[in-house]
Amino acid sequence: MDAQEFSKYGHVLRPGPFRRRRAFWLDGDVPHWRKGRVKGHIALSAITDVVVLEQAGGATCRLIEANGRRHRISERHSFGWEVGERHRFGASELRCATFASLVAAIGRRMNKKHPAERK
């Protein structure tokens, strides 16, 4: 794991008990992501829309790129079958603080980059 995943604007989650861990974090104005061992980043200028859906089971944020690619960031973390998580396998928790911090920072930085598009 990258130390930046646990930084001020880092968020780590597992969408389901049999899914890989995902991490999202900001390094300056560049959102980064990791899914398993695969890493990448997105330029803020490539993001055309940020959609936050509030649901009973936890909030979800979708970053939509100009090419149509979507990155889904969930507030809910499921515990898997890894060492240290086995005793909680199948359980889940909301990681509200890290989710809200990351999504708010992305929103603020998007507004700075595209002030004319504010609604």
Side-chain angles (χ1 to χ4, degrees), residues 1-2 4-6 9-25 32-40 60-63 69-80 82 85 95 98-99 102:
M1 288 197 191
D2 195 325
Q4 290 180 319
E5 295 174 12
F6 298 102
Y9 300 121
H11 180 63
V12 179
L13 68 122
R14 179 192 313 277
F18 296 106
R19 309 272 304 270
R20 287 185 245 164
R21 282 186 183 214
R22 296 179 184 182
F24 295 88
W25 68 95
H32 293 265
W33 57 270
R34 178 187 56 79
K35 180 180 177 183
R37 293 183 178 166
V38 178
K39 291 184 177 181
T60 302
C61 175
R62 275 188 254 152
L63 304 177
R69 186 174 184 183
R70 295 168 186 246
H71 301 274
R72 184 175 174 266
I73 306 170
S74 175
E75 186 176 40
R76 181 159 298 281
H77 171 78
S78 296
F79 293 96
E82 292 180 0
E85 290 189 340
R95 295 192 169 174
T98 57
F99 175 82
L102 175 65

Coordinates of all heavy atoms in Angstrom, one line a residue, residues 1-2 4-6 9-25 32-40 60-63 69-80 82 85 95 98-99 102:
M1 N 0.8 -1.2 0.0 CA 0.0 0.0 0.0 C 0.9 1.2 0.0 O 1.9 1.3 0.6 CB -0.9 0.0 1.2 CG -2.0 -1.0 1.1 SD -3.3 -0.6 2.3 CE -4.2 -2.1 2.2
D2 N 0.4 2.3 -0.6 CA 1.0 3.5 -0.7 C 0.7 4.4 0.5 O -0.4 4.4 1.0 CB 0.6 4.3 -2.0 CG 1.4 5.4 -2.4 OD1 2.0 6.1 -1.5 OD2 1.6 5.6 -3.6
Q4 N 0.4 7.5 0.7 CA -0.6 8.5 0.4 C -2.0 8.0 0.5 O -3.0 8.8 0.6 CB -0.3 9.1 -1.0 CG 1.0 9.9 -1.0 CD 1.3 10.4 -2.4 OE1 1.1 9.7 -3.4 NE2 1.7 11.6 -2.4
E5 N -2.3 6.7 0.4 CA -3.6 6.2 0.5 C -4.2 6.5 1.9 O -5.4 6.5 2.1 CB -3.6 4.7 0.3 CG -3.2 4.3 -1.1 CD -3.1 2.8 -1.4 OE1 -3.5 2.1 -0.5 OE2 -2.6 2.5 -2.4
F6 N -3.3 6.7 2.9 CA -3.8 7.0 4.2 C -3.5 8.4 4.6 O -3.4 8.8 5.8 CB -3.1 6.0 5.2 CG -3.5 4.6 5.0 CD1 -2.6 3.8 4.3 CD2 -4.7 4.1 5.3 CE1 -2.9 2.4 4.0 CE2 -5.1 2.8 5.1 CZ -4.2 2.0 4.4
Y9 N -6.3 13.2 2.3 CA -7.3 13.0 1.3 C -7.2 11.6 0.7 O -7.4 11.4 -0.5 CB -7.2 14.0 0.2 CG -7.4 15.4 0.7 CD1 -6.4 16.4 0.6 CD2 -8.6 15.8 1.3 CE1 -6.6 17.7 1.0 CE2 -8.8 17.1 1.8 CZ -7.8 18.0 1.7 OH -7.9 19.3 2.2
G10 N -7.0 10.6 1.5 CA -6.9 9.2 1.1 C -8.2 8.4 1.5 O -8.7 8.7 2.6
H11 N -8.6 7.5 0.7 CA -9.8 6.6 1.1 C -9.5 5.2 0.5 O -9.3 5.0 -0.6 CB -11.0 7.2 0.4 CG -12.3 6.5 0.7 ND1 -12.8 6.3 2.0 CD2 -13.1 5.9 -0.1 CE1 -13.9 5.6 1.9 NE2 -14.1 5.3 0.7
V12 N -9.6 4.2 1.4 CA -9.4 2.8 1.1 C -10.7 2.1 1.3 O -11.4 2.3 2.4 CB -8.3 2.2 1.9 CG1 -8.1 0.7 1.6 CG2 -7.0 3.0 1.7
L13 N -11.1 1.2 0.4 CA -12.4 0.5 0.5 C -12.3 -0.8 -0.2 O -11.4 -1.1 -1.0 CB -13.5 1.3 -0.1 CG -13.5 1.4 -1.6 CD1 -14.7 0.9 -2.2 CD2 -13.3 2.9 -2.0
R14 N -13.2 -1.7 0.2 CA -13.4 -3.0 -0.5 C -14.9 -3.0 -0.8 O -15.7 -3.1 0.1 CB -13.0 -4.2 0.3 CG -13.2 -5.5 -0.4 CD -13.0 -6.7 0.6 NE -11.9 -6.6 1.5 CZ -10.7 -7.0 1.1 NH1 -10.4 -7.5 -0.1 NH2 -9.7 -6.9 2.0
P15 N -15.3 -3.0 -2.1 CA -16.7 -3.0 -2.5 C -17.5 -4.2 -2.0 O -18.7 -4.1 -1.8 CB -16.7 -2.8 -4.0 CG -15.3 -2.7 -4.4 CD -14.4 -2.9 -3.3
G16 N -16.8 -5.3 -1.9 CA -17.5 -6.6 -1.5 C -16.5 -7.5 -0.9 O -15.3 -7.3 -1.1
P17 N -16.9 -8.5 -0.1 CA -16.0 -9.4 0.6 C -15.1 -10.2 -0.3 O -14.0 -10.5 0.1 CB -16.9 -10.3 1.4 CG -18.3 -10.2 0.8 CD -18.3 -8.9 0.1
F18 N -15.4 -10.4 -1.6 CA -14.6 -11.2 -2.5 C -13.9 -10.3 -3.5 O -13.4 -10.8 -4.5 CB -15.4 -12.3 -3.2 CG -15.9 -13.3 -2.2 CD1 -17.2 -13.3 -1.8 CD2 -15.0 -14.2 -1.6 CE1 -17.7 -14.3 -0.9 CE2 -15.5 -15.2 -0.7 CZ -16.9 -15.2 -0.4
R19 N -14.0 -9.0 -3.3 CA -13.4 -8.0 -4.3 C -12.1 -7.5 -3.8 O -11.8 -7.6 -2.6 CB -14.4 -6.8 -4.5 CG -15.8 -7.2 -4.8 CD -16.2 -7.4 -6.3 NE -15.9 -6.3 -7.1 CZ -16.7 -5.3 -7.4 NH1 -17.9 -5.3 -6.9 NH2 -16.4 -4.4 -8.2
R20 N -11.3 -6.9 -4.7 CA -10.0 -6.4 -4.3 C -10.2 -5.0 -3.6 O -11.1 -4.3 -3.9 CB -9.1 -6.2 -5.6 CG -8.6 -7.4 -6.1 CD -7.7 -7.1 -7.3 NE -8.3 -7.6 -8.5 CZ -8.0 -7.3 -9.7 NH1 -7.1 -6.4 -9.9 NH2 -8.6 -7.8 -10.7
R21 N -9.2 -4.7 -2.8 CA -9.2 -3.4 -2.2 C -9.0 -2.3 -3.2 O -8.2 -2.5 -4.2 CB -8.1 -3.3 -1.1 CG -8.4 -3.9 0.1 CD -7.3 -3.6 1.1 NE -7.6 -4.4 2.3 CZ -7.3 -3.9 3.5 NH1 -6.7 -2.8 3.7 NH2 -7.6 -4.6 4.6
R22 N -9.6 -1.2 -3.0 CA -9.4 0.0 -3.9 C -9.0 1.1 -3.0 O -9.4 1.2 -1.9 CB -10.7 0.3 -4.6 CG -11.2 -0.8 -5.6 CD -12.4 -0.5 -6.2 NE -12.8 -1.6 -7.1 CZ -13.9 -1.6 -7.8 NH1 -14.7 -0.6 -7.9 NH2 -14.2 -2.7 -8.5
A23 N -8.2 2.0 -3.6 CA -7.8 3.2 -2.9 C -7.9 4.4 -3.8 O -7.6 4.3 -5.0 CB -6.4 3.0 -2.3
F24 N -8.3 5.5 -3.3 CA -8.3 6.8 -4.0 C -7.6 7.8 -3.1 O -7.8 7.8 -1.9 CB -9.7 7.2 -4.3 CG -10.5 6.3 -5.2 CD1 -11.1 5.2 -4.7 CD2 -10.4 6.5 -6.6 CE1 -11.8 4.3 -5.6 CE2 -11.1 5.6 -7.5 CZ -11.8 4.5 -7.0
W25 N -6.8 8.7 -3.7 CA -6.2 9.7 -2.9 C -5.8 10.9 -3.9 O -5.8 10.7 -5.1 CB -5.0 9.2 -2.2 CG -3.8 8.8 -3.0 CD1 -2.7 9.6 -3.3 CD2 -3.6 7.5 -3.6 NE1 -1.8 8.9 -4.1 CE2 -2.3 7.6 -4.3 CE3 -4.3 6.4 -3.7 CZ2 -1.8 6.5 -5.0 CZ3 -3.8 5.3 -4.4 CH2 -2.5 5.4 -5.1
H32 N -5.6 10.0 -7.7 CA -4.9 8.8 -8.0 C -5.8 7.6 -7.6 O -6.6 7.8 -6.7 CB -3.6 8.6 -7.3 CG -2.5 9.6 -7.8 ND1 -1.6 9.3 -8.7 CD2 -2.3 10.9 -7.4 CE1 -0.8 10.3 -9.0 NE2 -1.2 11.3 -8.2
W33 N -5.7 6.5 -8.2 CA -6.5 5.3 -7.7 C -5.6 4.1 -7.8 O -4.6 4.0 -8.5 CB -7.7 5.1 -8.6 CG -7.4 5.0 -10.1 CD1 -7.4 6.0 -11.0 CD2 -7.2 3.8 -10.8 NE1 -7.1 5.5 -12.2 CE2 -6.9 4.2 -12.2 CE3 -7.1 2.5 -10.5 CZ2 -6.6 3.3 -13.1 CZ3 -6.8 1.6 -11.4 CH2 -6.6 2.0 -12.8
R34 N -6.0 3.1 -7.0 CA -5.4 1.8 -7.1 C -6.4 0.7 -6.9 O -7.3 0.8 -6.1 CB -4.3 1.6 -5.9 CG -3.7 0.2 -5.9 CD -2.8 0.0 -4.7 NE -3.5 0.2 -3.4 CZ -4.3 -0.7 -2.9 NH1 -4.6 -1.8 -3.5 NH2 -4.9 -0.4 -1.7
K35 N -6.4 -0.3 -7.8 CA -7.3 -1.4 -7.6 C -6.4 -2.7 -7.7 O -5.9 -3.0 -8.7 CB -8.3 -1.4 -8.8 CG -9.3 -2.6 -8.8 CD -10.2 -2.5 -9.9 CE -11.2 -3.7 -9.9 NZ -12.0 -3.7 -11.1
G36 N -6.3 -3.3 -6.5 CA -5.4 -4.4 -6.4 C -4.0 -3.9 -6.6 O -3.5 -3.0 -5.9
R37 N -3.2 -4.4 -7.6 CA -1.9 -3.9 -7.8 C -1.8 -2.9 -9.0 O -0.7 -2.3 -9.2 CB -1.0 -5.1 -8.1 CG -0.8 -6.0 -6.9 CD 0.2 -7.1 -7.2 NE 0.4 -7.9 -6.0 CZ 0.9 -9.1 -6.1 NH1 1.4 -9.6 -7.2 NH2 1.1 -9.7 -4.9
V38 N -2.9 -2.7 -9.6 CA -3.0 -1.7 -10.8 C -3.2 -0.3 -10.3 O -4.1 -0.1 -9.5 CB -4.1 -2.1 -11.7 CG1 -4.1 -1.2 -12.9 CG2 -3.9 -3.6 -12.2
K39 N -2.3 0.6 -10.7 CA -2.5 2.0 -10.3 C -2.7 2.9 -11.5 O -2.3 2.6 -12.6 CB -1.2 2.5 -9.6 CG -0.9 1.9 -8.2 CD 0.3 2.5 -7.6 CE 0.6 1.9 -6.2 NZ 1.8 2.6 -5.6
G40 N -3.3 4.1 -11.2 CA -3.4 5.0 -12.3 C -3.8 6.4 -11.7 O -3.8 6.6 -10.4
T60 N -22.2 7.0 -2.5 CA -21.3 6.6 -3.6 C -21.0 7.9 -4.4 O -21.9 8.7 -4.7 CB -22.0 5.6 -4.5 OG1 -22.4 4.5 -3.7 CG2 -21.1 5.1 -5.6
C61 N -19.8 8.0 -4.9 CA -19.3 9.1 -5.7 C -18.8 8.5 -7.0 O -18.1 7.5 -7.0 CB -18.2 9.9 -5.1 SG -17.5 11.2 -6.1
R62 N -19.3 9.0 -8.2 CA -18.8 8.6 -9.5 C -18.1 9.7 -10.1 O -18.6 10.8 -10.3 CB -20.0 8.2 -10.3 CG -20.4 6.7 -10.1 CD -21.4 6.3 -11.1 NE -22.6 6.2 -10.4 CZ -23.8 6.4 -10.9 NH1 -24.0 6.6 -12.2 NH2 -24.9 6.3 -10.2
L63 N -16.8 9.5 -10.5 CA -16.0 10.4 -11.3 C -16.2 9.9 -12.7 O -15.8 8.8 -13.1 CB -14.6 10.4 -10.9 CG -14.3 10.7 -9.4 CD1 -12.8 10.6 -9.2 CD2 -14.8 12.1 -9.0
R69 N -15.1 6.7 -19.2 CA -14.7 5.8 -18.1 C -15.2 6.4 -16.8 O -15.2 7.6 -16.5 CB -13.2 5.8 -18.1 CG -12.7 4.8 -17.1 CD -11.2 4.6 -17.2 NE -10.7 3.6 -16.3 CZ -9.5 3.3 -16.1 NH1 -8.5 3.9 -16.7 NH2 -9.2 2.3 -15.2
R70 N -15.6 5.5 -15.9 CA -16.2 5.8 -14.6 C -15.4 5.2 -13.5 O -15.0 4.1 -13.6 CB -17.6 5.4 -14.5 CG -18.5 6.0 -15.5 CD -19.9 5.4 -15.6 NE -20.7 5.9 -16.6 CZ -21.8 6.6 -16.4 NH1 -22.3 6.8 -15.2 NH2 -22.4 7.2 -17.5
H71 N -15.2 6.0 -12.4 CA -14.5 5.5 -11.2 C -15.5 5.7 -10.1 O -16.0 6.7 -9.8 CB -13.3 6.4 -11.0 CG -12.3 6.4 -12.1 ND1 -11.3 5.4 -12.2 CD2 -12.1 7.2 -13.1 CE1 -10.6 5.6 -13.3 NE2 -11.1 6.7 -13.8
R72 N -15.8 4.6 -9.5 CA -16.8 4.5 -8.4 C -16.1 4.5 -7.1 O -15.4 3.6 -6.8 CB -17.7 3.3 -8.6 CG -18.9 3.2 -7.6 CD -19.7 2.0 -8.0 NE -20.8 1.8 -7.0 CZ -20.6 1.0 -6.0 NH1 -19.6 0.3 -5.8 NH2 -21.6 0.9 -5.1
I73 N -16.4 5.5 -6.2 CA -15.9 5.5 -4.9 C -17.0 5.3 -3.9 O -18.0 6.1 -3.9 CB -15.2 6.9 -4.6 CG1 -14.2 7.2 -5.7 CG2 -14.6 6.9 -3.3 CD1 -13.6 8.6 -5.7
S74 N -16.9 4.3 -3.1 CA -18.0 4.0 -2.2 C -17.6 4.3 -0.7 O -16.4 4.2 -0.4 CB -18.4 2.5 -2.3 OG -19.3 2.1 -1.3
E75 N -18.6 4.7 0.0 CA -18.4 5.0 1.5 C -18.3 3.7 2.3 O -17.7 3.6 3.3 CB -19.6 5.8 1.9 CG -19.5 6.3 3.3 CD -20.6 7.3 3.7 OE1 -21.8 7.0 3.2 OE2 -20.4 8.3 4.3
R76 N -18.9 2.6 1.7 CA -19.0 1.3 2.5 C -17.8 0.5 2.2 O -17.4 0.3 1.0 CB -20.3 0.6 2.0 CG -20.4 -0.7 2.8 CD -21.8 -1.3 2.8 NE -22.8 -0.4 3.5 CZ -23.0 -0.3 4.8 NH1 -22.2 -1.0 5.6 NH2 -23.9 0.5 5.3
H77 N -17.2 -0.1 3.2 CA -16.1 -1.0 3.1 C -16.5 -2.4 3.6 O -17.1 -2.5 4.7 CB -14.9 -0.5 4.0 CG -13.8 -1.5 4.1 ND1 -12.9 -1.7 3.1 CD2 -13.5 -2.3 5.1 CE1 -12.0 -2.6 3.5 NE2 -12.4 -3.0 4.7
S78 N -16.3 -3.4 2.9 CA -16.6 -4.8 3.3 C -15.4 -5.5 3.7 O -14.3 -5.3 3.1 CB -17.3 -5.5 2.1 OG -18.5 -5.0 1.7
F79 N -15.4 -6.2 4.8 CA -14.3 -7.0 5.2 C -14.2 -8.3 4.5 O -15.2 -8.9 4.2 CB -14.4 -7.2 6.7 CG -14.3 -5.9 7.5 CD1 -15.4 -5.3 7.9 CD2 -13.0 -5.4 7.8 CE1 -15.3 -4.1 8.6 CE2 -12.9 -4.2 8.5 CZ -14.1 -3.6 8.9
G80 N -13.0 -8.6 4.1 CA -12.7 -9.8 3.2 C -12.0 -10.9 4.0 O -12.1 -11.0 5.2
E82 N -8.8 -11.6 4.1 CA -7.4 -11.4 4.3 C -7.0 -11.5 5.8 O -7.9 -11.5 6.7 CB -7.0 -10.0 3.9 CG -7.1 -9.8 2.4 CD -6.7 -8.4 1.9 OE1 -6.4 -7.6 2.8 OE2 -6.8 -8.2 0.7
E85 N -8.7 -9.6 8.8 CA -10.1 -9.3 8.5 C -11.0 -10.5 8.6 O -12.2 -10.4 8.6 CB -10.2 -8.7 7.1 CG -9.7 -7.4 6.9 CD -10.0 -6.8 5.5 OE1 -10.4 -7.6 4.6 OE2 -10.0 -5.6 5.4
R95 N -17.1 4.2 6.0 CA -15.9 5.0 6.2 C -16.2 6.5 5.8 O -15.7 7.0 4.8 CB -14.7 4.4 5.4 CG -14.4 3.1 6.0 CD -13.1 2.5 5.4 NE -12.7 1.3 6.2 CZ -11.7 0.6 5.9 NH1 -10.9 0.9 4.9 NH2 -11.4 -0.5 6.6
T98 N -13.2 9.6 5.8 CA -12.3 9.6 4.6 C -13.0 9.8 3.3 O -12.5 10.5 2.4 CB -11.4 8.3 4.6 OG1 -12.3 7.2 4.5 CG2 -10.5 8.2 5.8
F99 N -14.2 9.2 3.2 CA -15.0 9.4 2.0 C -15.3 10.9 1.8 O -15.1 11.5 0.7 CB -16.2 8.6 2.0 CG -17.2 8.8 0.9 CD1 -17.0 8.2 -0.3 CD2 -18.3 9.6 1.0 CE1 -17.8 8.3 -1.4 CE2 -19.2 9.8 0.0 CZ -18.9 9.2 -1.2
L102 N -12.3 13.2 0.9 CA -11.8 13.0 -0.4 C -12.8 13.7 -1.4 O -12.4 14.4 -2.3 CB -11.6 11.6 -0.8 CG -11.3 11.2 -2.2 CD1 -9.9 11.8 -2.6 CD2 -11.3 9.8 -2.5

